[in-house]
């Protein structure tokens, strides 16, 4: 497995995947971003500024926590939790926005746009925009505005404008379409903060790099707490930013098994899911070549997941390359397994995971039995579940109104 | 002379000889249905249209404004596939031999039909314009066999000079200049900027330069045709086609095209 760490190449490809598949108008903005990032990423002042923000604004490092009762429950490997849910605003998404907003500032952009599914990236973007006093617009599928109403209100409180997107399936992919259209139109003064390791080059690289703090911390913490690297790392995969962030520093550590968990929705066999790495074909959407849920005519098909943040037909191109190279494994869990796991983790550990994150927990049912009690599994707890209580209540047949 | 002129080359040559500006008309295949598309294509030609751009519907057309997006959605509801569009062009060719047809769409639908694309030339397609790939790329690199098909690329107001040179190098047929920063159907047309950019592009290529995105009125058409070799009309036609989709009575559209055609000649 050679050279997975040095990707993407100069054209933005991870093996066969990635690239810049965008309308011509955007090419210049991508180049400008690529050049700015290349210059700043090794600039000690820029690095110091991000580090300060990660410590004092985000609250890093996030703990690595031993989940004792969950470990007892599976009576297999030791289960440890990387607590991204404890970050300011409640998810890993802030790691990325704290970094990208500084790029926007360096480029002199006055207007910030972003797409969001679960609303976590919208909140994380509105938060950093508020802090710098920048105008902020968040695109969100109309269906997601409905099911993540708590986050919609948070975004508004932070002073950003939420644009509900009615086109297509009215979910995350359509929010991305609309954000791209805004960007094409307002290219001179607008910075687009993409929320996952998706989109055209250089975004998959930038978003990965800003989230890689999670994996770097884990390297140090696992050595401190159990004197070795984990035997396996589990993370949910929507676009794949929390997974890429925790996987990336371990790509060359071949003894560490990397397992991504996709949303099987109503079941992989039902076709109603959001698991392109498990049941998709390579294709091109939102600026990159990657595994994609599509029909034989190349049309993108509707997805389904209980979790808005995973309800996306594509996936970051680096994951496609990790899949093909065999370096990472990708499995899927369905809505019912996720709900069950959500309840179990909440009751056993006193930690209420986001529905996205609950996918990684639910995968323990398949994965835990393959490991012995001397081994260590780390779950990336990408976010907390407060935003999801309406959805969970509805699924449980309760009304909170 | 080693090869015959293609239909697109011949059309461009004939326009040049007559010092006529090209009128390029865009419509979405399958909106309101495939039979209407053929009827409209013939009607367009009879109303002075020189080149037809046939939109290939895609679920996620990121370069399109609301009008064309909605047309893509309607066409997809009718199960319009690239395969059906190839057959449609073949049928169009039963009666028309000299109007070039360009397929305009998004990479993923072309990728899914990479092999059939090669055959489409023999069915009467003349060129492809793929909106979401870098203009300098060679389609063959993506496994797309476009043998015999011209490859049209977009140049935008934001395109750098070194990219303009590369794009001109790898293009054939004509250059499509995007007149604004925005999606199709927007209204931020900036004639002065367009003129400056088109002048520069023509210093880099012998290909004709057509201007499009955001042309609505005959004034827009006249102003842009003065500084380019031709104009592309899209959203306003798509909007009218939709408005007439109940009655299937297209005279109003043909009158609009005749007016446009006369205005720019
Ligand atoms: C808590 C949480 N986890 C995971 C995701 C999925 O995104 P990604 O796959 O990029 O980590 C989201 C997206 O909204 C999220 O809010």
């Amino acid at each position: 497995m050679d050279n997975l760490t040095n990707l993407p190449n100069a054209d933005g490809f991870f093996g066969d995947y990635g690239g810049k598949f965008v309308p011509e108008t955007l090419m210049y903005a991508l180049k400008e971003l690529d050049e700015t990032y290349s210059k700043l990423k090794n600039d000690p002042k820029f690095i110091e500024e991000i580090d300060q923000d990660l410590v004092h604004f985000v609250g890093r490092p996030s703990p690595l926590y031993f989940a004792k009762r969950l470990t007892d429950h599976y009576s297999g490997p030791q289960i440890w939790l990387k607590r991204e849910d404890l970050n300011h605003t409640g998810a890993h998404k802030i790691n990325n926005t704290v970094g990208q907003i500084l790029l926007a500032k360096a480029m002199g952009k006055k207007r910030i746009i972003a797409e969001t599914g679960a609303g976590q990236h919208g909140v994380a973007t509105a938060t950093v925009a508020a802090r710098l006093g920048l105008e902020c617009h968040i695109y969100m599928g109309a269906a997601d505005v409905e099911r993540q109403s708590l986050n919609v209100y948070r975004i508004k409180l932070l002073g950003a404008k939420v644009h509900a997107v009615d086109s297509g399936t009215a979910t995350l992919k359509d929010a991305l379409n609309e954000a791209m259209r805004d960007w094409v139109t307002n290219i001179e003064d607008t910075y687009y903060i993409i929320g996952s390791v998706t989109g055209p080059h250089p975004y998959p690289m930038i978003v990965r790099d800003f989230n890689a703090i999670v994996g770097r911390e884990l390297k140090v913490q696992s050595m401190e707490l159990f004197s070795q690297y984990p035997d396996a790392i589990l993370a949910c995969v929507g676009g794949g930013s929390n997974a890429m962030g925790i996987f990336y520093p371990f790509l060359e550590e071949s003894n560490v098994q990397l397992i991504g968990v996709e949303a099987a929705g109503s079941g992989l066999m039902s076709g109603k899911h959001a698991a392109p790495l498990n049941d998709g074909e390579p294709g091109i959407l939102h600026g990159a070549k990657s595994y994609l849920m599509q029909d034989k005519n190349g049309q993108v098909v509707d997805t389904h997941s209980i979790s808005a943040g995973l309800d996306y037909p594509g996936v970051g191109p680096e994951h496609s390359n990790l899949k093909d190279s065999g370096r990472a494994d990708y499995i899927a869990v369905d809505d019912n397994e996720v709900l069950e796991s959500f309840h179990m983790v909440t009751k056993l550990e006193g930690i209420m995971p986001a529905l996205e994150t609950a996918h990684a927990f639910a995968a323990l049912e398949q994965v835990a039995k393959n490991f012995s009690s001397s081994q260590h599994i780390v779950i990336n707890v990408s976010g907390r579940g407060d935003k999801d209580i309406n959805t969970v209540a509805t699924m449980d047949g309760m009304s909170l109104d | 002379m080693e090869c015959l002129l293609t239909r697109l080359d011949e059309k461009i040559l004939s326009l040049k000889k007559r010092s006529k500006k090209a009128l390029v008309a865009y419509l979405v295949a399958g909106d309101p249905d495939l039979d209407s598309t053929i009827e409209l294509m013939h009607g367009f030609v009879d109303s002075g249209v020189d080149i037809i751009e046939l939109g290939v519907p895609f679920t996620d057309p990121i370069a399109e404004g609301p009008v064309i997006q909605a047309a893509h959605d309607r066409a997809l509801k009718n199960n319009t596939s690239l395969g059906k569009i190839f057959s449609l062009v073949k049928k169009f060719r039963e009666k028309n031999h000299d109007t070039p047809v360009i397929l305009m769409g998004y990479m993923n639908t072309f990728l899914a039909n990479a092999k059939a694309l090669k055959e489409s030339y023999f069915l009467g397609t003349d060129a492809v314009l793929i909106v979401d790939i870098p203009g300098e790329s060679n389609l063959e690199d993506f496994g797309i066999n476009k043998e015999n098909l011209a490859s049209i690329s977009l140049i935008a107001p934001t395109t750098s000079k070194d990219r303009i040179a590369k794009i001109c190098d790898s293009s054939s047929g004509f250059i499509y200049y995007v007149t604004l920063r925005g999606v199709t159907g927007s209204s931020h047309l900036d004639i002065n900027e367009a003129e400056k950019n088109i002048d520069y592009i023509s210093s880099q290529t012998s290909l004709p330069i057509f201007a499009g995105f955001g042309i609505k009125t005959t004034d827009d058409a006249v102003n842009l045709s003065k500084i380019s070799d031709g104009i592309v009309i899209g959203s306003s036609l798509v909007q009218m086609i939709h408005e007439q989709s109940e009655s299937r009575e297209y005279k109003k559209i043909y009158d609009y095209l005749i007016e446009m055609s006369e205005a720019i000649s």
Side-chain angles (χ1 to χ4, degrees):
Chain A
M1 222 125 337
D2 46 6
N3 203 16
L4 287 170
T5 306
N6 293 334
L7 298 175
N9 68 16
D11 294 327
F13 279 89
F14 304 86
D16 269 351
Y17 304 103
K20 295 186 198 183
F21 295 91
V22 293
E24 177 58 30
T25 309
L26 295 179
M27 290 299 283
Y28 123 98
L30 295 174
K31 180 153 180 268
E32 188 187 19
L33 177 59
D34 199 8
E35 286 169 356
T36 306
Y37 181 65
S38 302
K39 207 171 72 205
L40 288 181
K41 74 175 178 190
N42 299 316
D43 176 343
K45 256 176 62 195
F46 182 75
I47 295 170
E48 173 64 16
E49 199 174 356
I50 291 190
D51 284 351
Q52 287 297 312
D53 283 352
L54 288 176
V55 173
H56 300 292
F57 189 65
V58 177
R60 302 206 70 88
S62 70
L64 180 61
Y65 171 76
F66 180 54
K68 176 157 189 326
R69 296 190 69 208
L70 206 55
T71 299
D72 291 347
H73 173 83
Y74 285 106
S75 51
Q78 289 187 30
I79 296 165
W80 292 75
L81 309 181
K82 181 64 176 151
R83 298 291 308 276
E84 292 301 296
D85 59 314
L86 294 178
N87 292 342
H88 180 41
T89 70
H92 69 291
K93 298 284 181 190
I94 191 91
N95 301 323
N96 169 40
T97 59
V98 157
Q100 286 206 55
I101 200 79
L102 292 180
L103 293 177
K105 195 173 100 180
M107 293 166 77
K109 304 288 184 183
K110 299 276 178 286
R111 184 173 174 274
I112 302 298
I113 59 171
E115 86 294 340
T116 194
Q120 285 303 122
H121 177 58
V123 168
T125 302
T127 297
V128 294
R131 191 165 161 242
L132 293 191
L134 298 174
E135 178 185 338
C136 182
H137 297 263
I138 304 294
Y139 290 91
M140 192 165 182
D144 294 338
V145 168
E146 191 99 342
R147 60 177 160 169
Q148 301 286 339
S149 55
L150 230 53
N151 271 343
V152 173
Y153 190 55
R154 283 171 83 192
I155 294 167
K156 288 181 184 162
L157 287 175
L158 288 159
K161 188 162 169 24
V162 176
H163 302 264
V165 178
D166 281 318
S167 60
T169 55
T171 59
L172 181 53
K173 90 173 166 73
D174 309 287
L176 246 142
N177 289 341
E178 219 40 49
M180 289 231 175
R181 291 179 185 122
D182 178 314
W183 199 27
V184 173
T185 308
N186 301 295
I187 187 115
E188 315 281 355
D189 70 340
T190 296
Y191 185 101
Y192 179 16
I193 302 189
I194 289 189
S196 192
V197 287
T198 49
H201 178 68
Y203 281 108
M205 171 181 75
I206 292 178
V207 178
R208 173 199 70 195
D209 289 353
F210 286 144
N211 269 299
I213 180 73
V214 180
R216 287 199 302 272
E217 284 175 6
L218 175 57
K219 277 190 153 175
V220 176
Q221 291 167 322
S222 61
M223 278 298 173
E224 274 172 16
L225 291 167
F226 46 85
S227 308
Q228 60 188 67
Y229 289 153
D231 296 283
I233 300 173
L234 274 174
C236 66
V237 177
S241 63
N242 86 86
M244 224 36 253
I246 199 165
F247 288 176
Y248 183 67
F250 290 94
L251 289 182
E252 307 302 327
E253 310 295 340
S254 53
N255 291 329
V256 181
Q257 200 185 338
L258 306 175
I259 304 170
V261 186
E262 294 194 306
S266 310
L268 280 183
M269 302 306 281
S270 73
K272 290 179 67 184
H273 58 75
L277 291 166
N278 279 276
D279 187 31
E281 294 289 330
I284 289 172
L285 180 70
H286 296 144
K289 181 170 180 199
S290 196
Y291 279 87
L292 178 63
M293 291 182 51
Q294 56 181 320
D295 67 16
K296 65 180 190 331
N297 292 312
Q299 303 297 347
V300 179
V301 299
D302 291 2
T303 54
H304 168 77
S305 168
I306 189 177
S307 127
L310 305 186
D311 202 351
Y312 180 66
V315 64
E318 192 162 11
H319 285 293
S320 292
N321 192 43
L322 292 180
K323 172 191 156 78
D324 284 8
S325 72
R327 178 62 190 95
D329 297 310
Y330 296 90
I331 58 180
V333 295
D334 70 27
D335 288 352
N336 292 330
E337 297 170 299
V338 168
L339 263 179
E340 218 170 281
S341 186
F342 171 91
H343 284 299
M344 185 176 80
V345 173
T346 304
K347 291 216 175 86
L348 284 182
E349 292 294 342
I351 293 172
M352 189 189 292
L355 283 174
E356 291 78 16
T357 313
H359 284 70
F361 279 107
L364 284 170
E365 296 284 337
Q366 300 175 40
V367 169
K369 59 177 181 289
N370 303 332
F371 293 85
S372 71
S373 59
S374 63
Q375 292 184 296
H376 306 82
I377 290 189
V378 171
I379 293 183
N380 198 15
V381 186
S382 58
R384 59 178 176 242
D386 311 40
K387 69 183 177 61
D388 293 314
I389 50 175
N390 283 319
T391 306
V392 173
T394 307
M395 297 297 286
D396 289 343
M398 284 190 314
S399 165
L400 301 181
D401 298 334
Chain B
M1 187 111 174
E2 53 181 31
C3 63
L4 289 170
L5 283 182
T6 66
R7 182 166 25 233
L8 183 56
D9 291 336
E10 261 183 52
K11 175 63 79 179
I12 283 166
L13 207 65
S14 120
L15 287 163
K16 210 171 181 174
K17 272 190 199 143
R18 291 179 285 147
S19 306
K20 185 180 179 299
K21 306 287 178 168
L23 179 60
V24 183
Y26 172 94
L27 74 173
V28 177
D31 173 41
D33 55 56
L34 287 166
D35 286 339
S36 302
T37 302
I38 295 213
E39 179 189 337
L40 283 159
M41 287 165 77
H42 287 299
F44 281 11
V45 174
D46 294 339
S47 314
V49 166
D50 301 297
I51 297 173
I52 292 175
E53 232 174 72
L54 205 47
V56 178
F58 182 48
T59 39
D60 298 85
I62 52 174
E64 315 298 347
V67 168
I68 295 183
Q69 276 174 54
H72 280 230
D73 285 346
R74 290 190 295 270
L76 288 174
K77 278 217 180 74
N78 296 334
N79 296 314
T80 309
S81 62
L82 200 50
K84 285 184 186 167
I85 295 173
F86 294 153
S87 313
L88 175 150
V89 175
K90 181 180 171 199
K91 211 162 150 199
F92 174 71
R93 287 279 170 250
E94 287 169 8
K95 287 196 205 143
N96 180 303
H97 305 287
D98 59 4
T99 306
V101 173
I102 298 165
L103 301 184
M104 175 169 179
Y106 292 80
M107 186 63 157
N108 205 50
T109 41
F110 289 100
L111 268 185
N113 289 275
K115 286 208 189 72
L117 204 57
K118 179 183 170 190
E119 304 305 316
S120 73
Y121 167 78
F122 301 101
L123 302 177
T125 306
D126 301 287
V128 291
L129 194 177
I130 301 178
V131 184
D132 58 346
I133 58 167
E136 72 276 24
S137 36
N138 183 351
L139 292 177
E140 313 274 346
D141 295 344
F142 302 103
I144 289 199
N145 198 328
K146 59 162 191 23
E147 209 176 324
N148 299 317
L149 294 174
S151 171
I152 314 284
S153 297
L154 301 171
I155 290 181
T158 55
T159 306
S160 64
K161 288 190 171 163
D162 64 316
R163 285 186 53 71
I164 288 179
K166 282 193 221 161
I167 293 172
C168 288
D169 261 2
S170 63
S171 294
S172 47
F174 59 88
I175 298 286
Y176 188 142
Y177 178 74
V178 178
T179 48
L180 48 80
R181 290 165 185 71
V183 291
T184 49
S186 321
S187 45
H188 322 115
L189 215 68
D190 180 343
I191 295 281
N192 291 334
E193 183 184 51
E195 178 165 19
K196 220 176 77 216
N197 288 332
I198 290 173
D199 274 352
Y200 178 77
I201 300 166
S202 43
S203 73
Q204 301 296 306
T205 180
S206 56
L207 294 173
I209 300 159
F210 299 168
F213 274 46
I215 301 177
K216 292 194 177 83
T217 63
T218 43
D219 278 352
D220 299 336
V222 170
N223 290 334
L224 273 173
S225 69
K226 280 186 188 144
I227 58 169
S228 67
D229 301 302
I231 58 161
V232 188
I233 304 180
S235 297
S236 56
L237 283 173
V238 172
Q239 177 65 30
M240 283 169 141
I241 292 171
H242 181 51
E243 281 163 10
Q244 303 303 117
S245 63
E246 283 294 315
S247 66
R248 301 284 204 272
E249 173 49 70
Y250 300 123
K251 184 170 178 307
K252 192 177 140 198
I253 302 173
Y254 302 145
D255 288 345
Y256 169 80
L257 284 170
I258 290 168
E259 198 185 316
M260 284 287 182
S261 168
E262 282 167 358
I264 65 170
S265 59

